Amino acid sequence: FTLIELLVVVAVFMILAVLVTTSLFSILKSNAKANLMKEIRQNGNYALDVMDKVISSSLEIKDSCTPSSLKVINADGQEVTFGCLTQTVNGMTQISLASGSARLTSTNITLDNCNAFTCEKIKPEDESPGKVTISFTLKQIGTSTRPEEIAQETFTKTIFVRNQK
């Protein structure tokens, strides 16, 4: 073989190695983002399901319904509060959905902002609101410099109080 032929073969193998390495890193990043999106969806759906179950079977929504917190009287007559819990996890500020002091979301994700609740009366003559709209965005904790690596999802649900007094 001549020196030129060997250089061509080495160059071709180097180009192939770069392509394979780039593909592998791309696959690994996509897999990591897919796993994070799965965790975000699971947490969001769990939080919505817990709030839906309590709110829809509650007796009334308290007047202290604000964008950042919601108080309801459950079927047992006890007051249940939903809101945000702010903590520092590994040096990062994290906002979680919570019921009292019990977290409804994991430590790997954070709430985009704490304006999640909107309460409305179904009829003007109603004593307390009978409809709650919950809307929040969950995202990965920390920041990513590249937009294609950012994992976040918005969850929205409207819940009607069925057992209203």
Side-chain angles (χ1 to χ4, degrees):
F1 294 106
T2 65
L3 185 57
I4 293 175
E5 290 172 330
L6 286 174
L7 287 174
V8 169
V9 169
V10 169
V12 167
F13 280 123
M14 287 180 65
I15 291 171
L16 287 174
V18 167
L19 291 175
V20 168
T21 304
T22 305
S23 301
L24 181 63
F25 283 128
S26 176
I27 290 169
L28 290 174
K29 284 181 191 177
S30 297
N31 188 31
K33 184 173 179 179
N35 286 336
L36 189 55
M37 287 299 295
K38 181 176 95 174
E39 183 178 5
I40 287 172
R41 284 188 190 109
Q42 287 175 341
N43 276 265
N45 289 333
Y46 173 75
L48 279 178
D49 289 345
V50 168
M51 290 186 283
D52 182 16
K53 183 178 178 184
V54 172
I55 294 168
S56 64
S57 65
S58 66
L59 298 175
E60 74 174 291
I61 298 170
K62 297 293 277 188
D63 294 334
S64 58
C65 175
T66 65
S68 61
S69 70
L70 172 69
K71 290 183 182 179
V72 297
I73 304 297
N74 69 9
D76 297 331
Q78 297 177 346
E79 189 173 282
V80 178
T81 303
F82 294 107
C84 298
L85 182 65
T86 304
Q87 295 176 317
T88 301
V89 178
N90 298 328
M92 305 286 296
T93 301
Q94 181 202 27
I95 304 170
S96 301
L97 281 171
S99 174
S101 62
R103 299 165 51 97
L104 297 177
T105 55
S106 75
T107 58
N108 297 336
I109 58 175
T110 185
L111 198 61
D112 193 28
N113 64 43
C114 198
N115 296 327
F117 305 102
T118 306
C119 298
E120 298 175 40
K121 293 184 177 186
I122 299 173
K123 299 176 194 164
E125 65 271 8
D126 288 344
E127 291 180 20
S128 70
K131 176 175 137 178
V132 177
T133 302
I134 303 171
S135 181
F136 58 91
T137 300
L138 293 178
K139 64 180 184 176
Q140 67 195 44
I141 194 162
T143 57
S144 179
T145 56
R146 298 171 57 181
E148 64 270 10
E149 294 177 1
I150 296 173
Q152 70 178 28
E153 186 156 341
T154 301
F155 298 87
T156 303
K157 189 166 195 171
T158 300
I159 303 167
F160 291 91
V161 177
R162 290 183 276 176
N163 296 331
Q164 208 166 16
K165 293 179 183 178

